[in-house]
Amino acid sequence: MSYLKEVIARTEEKNPSQPEFIQAVEEVLMSLEATVDKHPEFVAASIYDRIVEPDRQLMFRVPWTDDSGKVQVNRGFRIEFNNAIGPYKGGLRFHPSVNLGIIKFLGFEQIFKNALTTLPMGGGKGGSDFDPKGKSDGEVMRFCYSFMRELFRHIGPDTDVPAGDIGVGGREIGYMFGYYKKIKNEHTGVLTGKGIEYGGSLIRPEATGYGAVYFAAEMLATRNDSFENKIVVTSGAGNVAQFAVEKVIELGGKNISFCDSSGTIIDMDGFDTEKLHFVMDLKNNRRGRIKEYVEKYPNAKYYDGKSVWDVVRDEGIKCHIALPSATQNEIDETHAEALIKNGCYCISEGANMPSVPKAVDIYLENKILYGPGKAANAGGVSVSGLEMSQNSLKLSWEREEVDNRLKIIMKNIHEASRNAAEVYGFDKDNYVAGANIAGFLKVAKAMVAYGVV
Ligand code: NDP
Ligand code: 2IT
């Protein structure tokens, strides 16, 4: 068995019942064989075994009172995975599916993603199995306060800086930051994704979606291609999907889909700014379901209980570019095959690990342009890093300045991935290997420098 397969086997044995975490570890380590040969110092220092073991795993009780006066109990998590190159950094996810293995996969991915951004950020992730859906603002506020009542003692602007993810947006960050400020009597950059009035950065809400589109545009440019007149399918209808679609419209593409966990809408006429604003108001203010779109725009079609990828497969929907922006493992091998059959040749992942390993194999075998999440969706955490910089400097940059920095970072990630792939013997277009290697090298070298700690 190869050295890294042994590391994977040991990780599997130590972490039973955590399939998503093992999937992420396998995906990264299987790209790193060439680094084992080139860097005997990594093996000597057991870097591969050390990098799959979090620095610290926190799990805690989160009790809160619902509107009927009943006391509810949820479980909170924060995985401080690796701070070799900067304070732990990564989002908080509130979703009923959250468990230790899911937070560990997200924290593990975050190590390499954050290294790719070139900003000084380590990897972390957290969240809860709390479901914000259908809860009143008061319930969400009481939950967030209770969550922060424990989390506050573990985080800090130079220690660990959480942000948003699924189910955690501006409202939740506001409640959590407000509570932290109250109990610590400190107004510091301890969270990112803050409101613009109290230390947030312009472009942070847009950053992940815009970044995924900038990354796709960079990949397309290597083949003298662009978004102009392309049919684009996007999944999700949340933060990442909304701003990905906004940027696609701006670049002349035609985006035809959104979905939520109830179903999918397809609008073959494509979204314009007015339709997009309807979706933004529906999701962000009214907190409604995506099927309401077809009541307002009856030319569109709603597919109950189906994901965008089910609809693309079952209805033979033609498309050129796909931007999966909902959740992990949403694209299986049948979806991947159907996408390619229907004309898709560029996939840029707004979500974290949205494609199952067999789907990724199909992308690589077919040599389509494929930007894996840790590279393609790094725009969000990049602008979080820029928010931390602005907080430290106690000033705020203009919209254009942040957007330009985001574009440059996405371009650099694209370039660094291609270069690392080539240097380590892969095809330049293999962004999977390139992103894993480029992200890993920086963290591994820092870990070696520290000795055995
Ligand atoms: P949001 O909560 O804003 O939106 C998530 C969207 O995806 C919702 O429309 C939601 O539908 C849908 N969704 C979630 N889970 C499922 C599911 N199991 N099946 C079908 N649909 C689902 O989250 P974000 O947009 O922030 O996050 C989306 C993805 O992007 C996640 O993978 C996240 O990790 C990743 N990401 C986010 C970043 C950020 O800055 N926010 C940065 C980098 C990556 P419903 O409302 O019905 O649940
Ligand atoms: O997955 C991610 O990169 C995020 N949810 C954003 C993390 C952050 O700290 O901004």
Side-chain angles (χ1 to χ4, degrees):
M1 211 193 284
S2 80
Y3 176 73
L4 290 180
K5 284 203 171 130
E6 282 172 19
V7 176
I8 293 166
R10 279 194 288 277
T11 311
E12 223 169 337
E13 202 181 321
K14 277 195 202 170
N15 300 278
S17 316
Q18 296 181 3
E20 293 86 0
F21 175 52
I22 301 303
Q23 182 183 334
V25 167
E26 206 159 1
E27 193 267 339
V28 171
L29 292 194
M30 290 322 289
S31 308
L32 300 181
E33 289 286 0
T35 66
V36 173
D37 300 332
K38 274 208 180 168
H39 297 276
E41 72 278 16
F42 292 168
V43 177
S46 289
I47 293 298
Y48 303 92
D49 279 289
R50 284 161 63 190
I51 210 163
V52 298
E53 191 66 34
D55 289 352
R56 203 168 294 107
Q57 311 189 36
L58 305 159
M59 274 172 70
F60 50 93
R61 179 177 65 235
V62 189
W64 56 280
T65 308
D66 70 18
D67 285 346
S68 74
K70 187 168 183 290
V71 176
Q72 304 278 351
V73 186
N74 286 97
R75 184 170 275 184
F77 300 88
R78 186 72 184 167
I79 306 296
E80 297 183 334
F81 219 119
N82 188 302
N83 68 352
I85 63 166
Y88 305 108
K89 182 83 196 85
L92 297 170
R93 176 177 291 191
F94 293 169
H95 192 271
S97 64
V98 161
N99 59 39
L100 183 61
I102 287 183
I103 299 297
K104 277 170 70 177
F105 117 63
L106 290 162
F108 185 70
E109 286 284 290
Q110 202 82 44
I111 303 171
F112 309 101
K113 183 195 305 190
N114 293 3
L116 283 169
T117 68
T118 68
L119 301 172
M121 298 183 290
K125 198 85 184 190
S128 174
D129 57 1
F130 173 74
D131 186 359
K133 230 175 277 157
K135 305 286 191 301
S136 69
D137 284 351
E139 289 177 322
V140 171
M141 182 183 77
R142 291 191 294 279
F143 172 81
C144 288
Y145 285 1
S146 180
F147 186 82
M148 192 49 93
R149 204 172 293 138
E150 174 58 34
L151 189 67
F152 85 96
R153 68 184 88 253
H154 308 290
I155 62 177
D158 296 317
T159 307
D160 183 356
V161 184
D165 193 79
I166 292 177
V168 178
R171 174 181 62 169
E172 292 74 20
I173 294 290
Y175 292 146
M176 287 190 277
F177 186 80
Y179 195 79
Y180 182 91
K181 181 179 74 59
K182 178 85 183 172
I183 56 180
K184 291 279 284 191
N185 194 25
E186 266 177 30
H187 197 296
T188 51
V190 69
L191 297 176
T192 61
K194 299 185 292 297
I196 205 68
E197 306 77 12
Y198 61 91
S201 175
L202 290 166
I203 302 287
R204 177 62 189 90
E206 293 89 341
T208 312
Y210 280 17
V213 174
Y214 293 152
F215 195 87
E218 289 292 331
M219 293 196 291
L220 290 164
T222 64
R223 297 186 185 175
N224 294 320
D225 202 352
S226 75
F227 270 92
E228 193 87 38
N229 299 321
K230 298 299 178 320
I231 300 174
V232 184
V233 284
T234 301
S235 62
N239 171 265
V240 179
Q242 291 170 15
F243 288 104
V245 169
E246 182 168 278
K247 188 52 77 175
V248 169
I249 295 171
E250 196 187 312
L251 297 184
K254 180 166 138 180
N255 207 307
I256 58 167
S257 67
F258 275 118
C259 75
D260 59 24
S261 51
S262 308
T264 289
I265 56 129
I266 301 281
D267 184 341
M268 292 308 281
D269 300 333
F271 305 124
D272 54 19
T273 307
E274 186 209 296
K275 291 173 177 176
L276 175 61
H277 285 164
F278 173 82
V279 172
M280 287 177 164
D281 179 54
L282 171 70
K283 284 291 172 188
N284 307 347
N285 303 326
R286 294 191 281 128
R287 299 186 189 273
R289 308 308 296 160
I290 199 67
K291 71 171 171 221
E292 288 176 44
Y293 183 90
V294 293
E295 288 158 25
K296 170 88 176 163
Y297 301 103
N299 278 349
K301 212 168 159 193
Y302 176 65
Y303 298 86
D304 194 40
K306 288 199 170 197
S307 73
V308 167
W309 319 113
D310 294 339
V311 177
V312 165
R313 181 192 58 203
D314 300 346
E315 307 291 323
I317 307 262
K318 297 263 172 276
C319 59
H320 305 111
I321 299 167
L323 305 171
S325 305
T327 194
Q328 67 273 358
N329 292 331
E330 54 178 298
I331 301 184
D332 69 19
E333 56 270 41
T334 68
H335 299 131
E337 267 159 12
L339 274 166
I340 290 169
K341 188 167 138 239
N342 297 349
C344 179
Y345 61 87
C346 176
I347 299 181
S348 187
E349 294 183 337
N352 285 304
M353 207 168 77
S355 306
V356 305
K358 280 193 181 145
V360 174
D361 292 344
I362 292 167
Y363 307 152
L364 296 177
E365 279 157 22
N366 284 276
K367 296 195 176 302
I368 64 164
L369 296 168
Y370 168 56
K374 71 171 69 65
N377 72 38
V381 76
S382 298
V383 176
S384 277
L386 300 178
E387 183 172 331
M388 290 164 72
S389 307
Q390 292 168 81
N391 290 166
S392 298
L393 295 166
K394 300 201 189 305
L395 51 76
S396 31
W397 295 328
E398 302 288 336
R399 211 181 149 78
E400 204 186 351
E401 165 144 27
V402 182
D403 196 24
N404 278 336
R405 284 178 187 263
L406 170 63
K407 269 186 211 148
I408 292 167
I409 290 171
M410 297 314 295
K411 197 178 170 59
N412 288 344
I413 294 174
H414 178 263
E415 205 49 38
S417 302
R418 289 177 75 79
N419 289 342
E422 194 174 36
V423 170
Y424 282 80
F426 292 89
D427 191 308
K428 247 178 171 305
D429 282 348
N430 188 335
Y431 297 95
V432 175
N436 284 336
I437 292 169
F440 169 76
L441 285 177
K442 183 173 180 185
V443 179
K445 287 177 184 172
M447 289 172 76
V448 169
Y450 299 139
V452 184
V453 281

